[in-house]
Amino acid sequence: MSQELTCITCPIGCRLVVERTASAGGGRDPEGELSVSGNRCPRGAAYAREELLAPKRTVTATCRALASQGSRASQGQGSARRIPVRTTAPFPKERVGELLAAIYALEEPLPVARGRVLIRDALGLGIDVIATRSLG
Amino acid sequence: MRELSFDAVVIGGGAAGMAAALELEARGHAVAIVEREERLGGILAQCVHNGFGLIEFDEELTGPEFAERFEEKVGARPIKVLCGCTVLSLEAEGQDKVVSCVSSAEGVIALRSRAVVLAMGCRERNRGNIRIPGSRPAGVYTAGLAQRLVNVEGYVPGKDVVIIGSGDIGLIMARRMSWIGCKVHAVVEILPYPSGLTRNIVQCLRDFGIPLYLSHLTTEIYGRDRVEGVEVAPIENGALMTAKAFRIPCDTVLLSVGLVPENELSRTAGVTINPMTSGPWADSSLMTSVSGVFACGNVLHVHDLVDFVVEESRRAGAFAAAWLAGARPGREVRVKAGSNVRYVAPARVEAGRDNKLYLRTMIVKNDALLEVKLDGKVLLSSKKNHVQPSEMITLKLGKAELAGAAELPDASIEISIL
Ligand SMILES: Cc1cc2nc3c(=O)[nH]c(=O)nc-3n(C[C@H](O)[C@H](O)[C@H](O)COP(=O)(O)OP(=O)(O)OC[C@H]3O[C@@H](n4cnc5c(N)ncnc54)[C@H](O)[C@@H]3O)c2cc1C
Ligand code: SF4
């Protein structure tokens, strides 16, 4: 059985063909039993395995900024009302909805520095949510 | 009126302008960057998604992070940055260029320099450019404007969305709107293939089960005060099948129908525009038709990856620096777009050195062949696993390959995708 996937690890977007060999026995143990072709680099093979078994996505979003007294934003310079954020690593796809709810519940005082951890160990999965821009 | 003098003035402080300015400064020139917004970074500030910098930083960053890293590099160098300052005109005065700009803080300022780098980026095509009939209700936005509203200002433009055009900004916005709780009902594309990057089709549509209607035309936008829906009809064998038209209810329409280099300013300065790219015509050193005026990034031709913008802009900065130091291009050879190639940028190569070219194809094909001919004789051919219009193709033409060209008078190179 073969399946087609598009690698999204980098912008090249290689088209991958994943073959499940007969011995895969329901696909429980894929190492060595999934053969991946069409990838221009090893990350493509790793992506195919992960996408079929435990899909993950880097989540990017914005959260609410609370302008502090005297900050640039409160004086109307720089109109940013939202702080851009991202996960520090790809996040399990089926829990993205819960993660977004946690991000939208944040209210962060300004100023904020790029890289500041806004949620540590999100949903107990060992991944942080950080600010992606310095504001205020 | 205040007048300031520099060796070079860079117009636009996005990725392109910052990269070019850093290169000029590194070669010992006094440089200024003029940016209309309050902060450097350009379009990157609103691109809060990841997918930037894999080539440049070997790391997957978001747009704001990529911008801020460059902003820090610029801040660490003696580069004059004029933010909140809009350039109104560019004129040549003898050997000098005069850039006139206006800022609310300083009023009108004139910047005098010998070299200028154009880095104004691009703007979005809008409803007028694509002529969709219907009334003019509220709720129709370009995708980039919606991106700015959502990501920077925190407004939600609507709840039920249809996206017209499958350009990258529209795809990215399909995911963003879904993640903020809106329902994206469809992406409608007139062409038989998507115009955005494949990974965006995967990550932004398939993940959310958003239907992509290829070969479909939006025949009407409904609604009196507010958008109520769009009517869509398939195109089969080149004919619009009005009998098969259907309606998709929505309160918001996002247009993602392409980008156009922002060249109003270039035109007023007498810069010749290449109709295929809508950007300035450029020689092998990325110099426009006006001596001493260079161009790079989205103002030259629309790029899909910021890494390519930075690479090209560094070269533009280095070429501008060399020009300031008295270097002039050697023997140049014309480059033409051959079969299945929409354009090649720049349109000249220099025979005596390595050249880097960007090209866009008009076709979608697996196992394609890139062929470079010099006066009809094949110079180089290389296999491409997959080509499509949304993915820019890069090409290096080395000194060795071009050795023959130097001898031929009036030689021309033609690049085709077969
Ligand atoms: C929505 C979107 C999503 C993208 N997604 C990705 C992605 O996932 N990965 C990736 O690698 N690339 C992506 N790109 C592409 C890449 O980010 C851009 O091509 C690149 O940032 C463009 O840089 P630039 O400097 O040429 O233009 P810009 O960033 O547009 O900068 C031009 C600057 O010039 C200024 N300016 C214009 N006119 C004047 C004037 N008259 N006076 C003063 N200043 C002026 C503008 O204010 C602006 O700041 C995306 C692009 C867009 C639009
Ligand atoms: S296989 Fe490698 S080169 Fe191809 S898209 Fe994936 S990461 Fe990029």
Side-chain angles (χ1 to χ4, degrees), chain A residues 6 8-12 15 57-58 60-62 81-82 84 86 93 96 100 104 114 132-135, chain B residues 39-40 48-49 54 62 64-65 68 72 151-155 176 179-180 198-199 203 207 386 388:
Chain A
T6 309
I8 55 172
T9 312
C10 92
I12 293 171
R15 282 142 194 88
R57 296 291 181 264
T58 295
T60 62
T62 64
R81 294 193 186 93
R82 306 291 297 179
R86 70 166 164 95
K93 196 175 155 190
V96 167
L100 286 169
Y104 297 148
R114 181 182 85 223
T132 55
R133 193 164 212 216
S134 310
L135 287 171
Chain B
R39 193 167 166 187
L40 294 174
V48 304
H49 59 283
L54 263 161
T62 60
E65 290 169 295
E68 204 167 297
E72 284 165 0
N151 291 345
V152 180
E153 319 214 349
Y155 296 117
R176 176 66 54 221
W179 271 350
I180 62 175
T198 314
R199 67 180 185 130
Q203 286 181 313
D207 267 13
H386 180 87
Q388 64 184 56

Side-chain angles (χ1 to χ4, degrees), chain A residues 11, chain B residues 11-18 34-37 39-44 46-47 49-54 61 66 82 85-88 101 119-122 143-144 147 168-170 172 197 199-200 259 262 265 296-309 313:
Chain B
I11 307 177
M18 291 193 280
V34 192
E35 169 56 52
R36 184 170 57 197
E37 301 291 329
R39 193 167 166 187
L40 294 174
I43 198 77
L44 290 167
Q46 68 182 61
C47 299
H49 59 283
N50 57 308
F52 299 80
L54 263 161
L61 301 172
F66 191 100
L82 296 147
C85 192
T86 303
V87 175
L88 301 176
C101 39
M120 291 92 76
C122 58
Q147 185 181 49
D168 284 310
I169 316 177
I172 297 281
L197 298 175
R199 67 180 185 130
N200 288 335
L259 302 164
E262 176 73 73
L265 194 62
C296 55
N298 282 349
V299 81
L300 183 60
H301 60 116
V302 175
H303 297 60
D304 27 63
L305 292 181
V306 71
D307 304 82
F308 292 161
V309 167
S313 304

